[in-house]
Amino acid sequence: MKAFGKIEVYVGKIVQETKYIKRFHLYPVDRELLPAFTGGSHIATYVKNGAETIERNYSLVSHPTDRTQYAIAIRKDDHSRGGSVYWHDEIKVGDRLEISWPKNHFPLAFKAAKHHVFYAAGIGITPFMTMMEDLTAEGKSFELHYAARTKEDCAFYDYLMAKYPGKCHFYFSRTEIPKKMTPVTMAEHRIGSHVYFCGPASMVKEFREAAESYGYPSYAIHFELFAVADKGPKNPFVVKLTNSNKKVAVSEEETLLEALLKAGVQAPHSCKVGGCGSCEVQVMEGEVDHRDHFYKDGERGSKKVILTCCSRAKESEKELVLEL
């Protein structure tokens, strides 16, 4: 297997977890062991659709010590940009694709936390599957709070109930007796607990703000997002790059990062949802419409930076000058 770059895999098995969620098992074409990874890791997948390559990031849900295959779980979203729909409707057993090496922007706080508490909504359960495996292997304390519409819509429900009895709390909103997952439970966790959130941007924002209000220190609050929150109109604008004096136009339909990559600019990036900070670029001139979840409000006002994967020029701005 290559020591760097992409890994060629094939789809060896597909499991229908729920009506809208499928689990895909990926095996290395060269039959060598896959790279090791830690709980919370994800991979980028590169699927060919004619002349187009669909690139998407998905959390690994297979056991971290099993290097013979990787598994990912994907929820079909008809309102997405097409990645999940293509995986569900077109990908078959035997199909080949490329993946990245595992990356982890959502690691466990092994040394700092006395107790780990996971809050998942819908497909947000996926990174916690491997985290719980790692914690179990280390004999560490944890619990899971998991919200879904119904038990039938709750991916991995039977597995979780059998594997972690007494540690999982489920909240089903569309039943005869609805039960909603709320941040109130965070007030009851013992001192030294770390909280982890994964789900829709609105849920993550609500729980992060609640954790801060309850007095959780910033280092004890962890989160991961799967999509950028919709924060208003996507106006077109232009960026000027100081290193090359090149100008790049950004249309309404694309992000600044997508426009830069399409123009052949080697722009740094990773998560593509405004959560990790990898795509940060210095802004020399112009005002930024910040749409990320990485910076705190005070930092957005004091730093002259932009996360190219999600933020844009303010509507009144026609051009940004970037140190790139």
Side-chain angles (χ1 to χ4, degrees):
M1 182 172 295
K2 294 179 181 178
F4 57 89
K6 298 175 182 176
I7 303 168
E8 189 176 9
V9 297
Y10 68 92
V11 180
K13 182 169 66 172
I14 301 175
V15 178
Q16 190 81 46
E17 286 287 344
T18 71
K19 182 178 179 180
Y20 297 106
I21 297 174
K22 285 183 178 181
R23 174 162 38 99
F24 298 85
H25 291 259
L26 311 175
Y27 294 81
V29 170
D30 61 13
R31 300 185 183 277
E32 294 188 20
L33 293 178
L34 291 163
F37 67 92
T38 54
S41 295
H42 70 273
I43 56 171
T45 62
Y46 307 91
V47 176
K48 292 287 187 181
N49 179 19
E52 177 191 8
T53 297
I54 302 174
E55 178 186 348
R56 297 290 186 273
N57 292 330
Y58 297 110
S59 294
L60 292 165
V61 299
S62 47
H63 199 290
T65 62
D66 182 5
R67 296 174 59 194
T68 64
Q69 53 99 32
Y70 289 156
I72 56 177
I74 301 174
R75 185 187 189 282
K76 185 177 182 180
D77 181 0
D78 292 325
H79 301 291
S80 74
R81 292 181 297 158
S84 67
V85 172
Y86 189 88
W87 271 91
H88 273 252
D89 294 349
E90 304 297 334
I91 296 295
K92 303 293 186 294
V93 170
D95 286 352
R96 292 191 177 194
L97 64 141
E98 290 184 318
I99 63 173
S100 71
W101 280 52
K103 303 175 184 178
N104 198 343
H105 300 308
F106 196 33
L108 285 162
F110 267 114
K111 294 182 179 180
K114 294 181 179 178
H115 183 60
H116 306 261
V117 188
F118 305 121
Y119 286 90
I123 196 62
I125 184 61
T126 53
F128 299 140
M129 299 296 290
T130 54
M131 287 178 163
M132 290 187 290
E133 292 282 8
D134 274 353
L135 290 172
T136 299
E138 295 292 327
K140 301 295 184 180
S141 174
F142 68 90
E143 63 187 87
L144 169 69
H145 296 260
Y146 182 7
R149 291 181 299 180
T150 65
K151 185 169 72 173
E152 291 71 30
D153 291 320
C154 187
F156 308 107
Y157 175 80
D158 291 336
Y159 172 84
L160 292 169
M161 286 289 286
K163 177 86 173 181
Y164 306 112
K167 295 185 177 182
C168 300
H169 308 271
F170 297 94
Y171 306 82
F172 302 129
S173 59
R174 297 188 182 180
T175 59
E176 290 185 4
I177 306 176
K179 189 176 182 182
K180 179 178 173 59
M181 184 176 73
T182 71
V184 174
T185 53
M186 286 190 290
E188 304 170 0
H189 301 321
R190 66 176 188 257
I191 294 175
S193 294
H194 280 226
V195 289
Y196 303 75
F197 314 128
C198 191
S202 58
M203 170 263 182
V204 171
K205 182 176 185 295
E206 177 189 6
F207 277 71
R208 285 179 65 197
E209 291 176 350
E212 291 170 356
S213 72
Y214 290 141
Y216 282 82
S218 58
Y219 62 78
I221 302 172
H222 314 269
F223 67 95
E224 183 169 67
L225 298 162
F226 288 133
V228 179
D230 185 2
K231 293 187 176 181
K234 296 179 180 178
N235 53 293
F237 61 101
V238 174
V239 292
K240 181 179 178 181
L241 312 181
T242 58
N243 292 349
S244 62
N245 208 33
K246 186 175 186 177
K247 287 192 175 184
V248 177
V250 185
S251 70
E252 297 176 5
E253 292 78 24
E254 61 189 348
T255 66
L256 170 55
L257 176 60
E258 289 170 340
L260 291 170
L261 295 176
K262 188 169 67 176
V265 178
Q266 296 297 312
H269 65 278
S270 187
C271 79
K272 294 188 176 181
V273 293
C276 72
S278 298
C279 63
E280 178 186 273
V281 174
Q282 295 293 315
V283 178
M284 310 306 291
E285 294 179 26
E287 293 295 320
V288 176
D289 179 5
H290 292 283
R291 303 186 179 195
D292 62 89
H293 302 273
F294 182 72
Y295 301 115
K296 294 182 178 179
D297 290 339
E299 292 178 318
R300 293 190 183 99
S302 61
K303 290 186 174 183
K304 293 288 289 183
V305 294
I306 185 171
L307 294 191
T308 63
C309 71
C310 59
S311 297
R312 310 179 72 83
K314 283 194 174 179
E315 193 169 359
S316 59
E317 291 286 336
K318 298 299 181 183
E319 182 175 286
L320 294 179
V321 180
L322 307 181
E323 188 179 358
L324 186 66

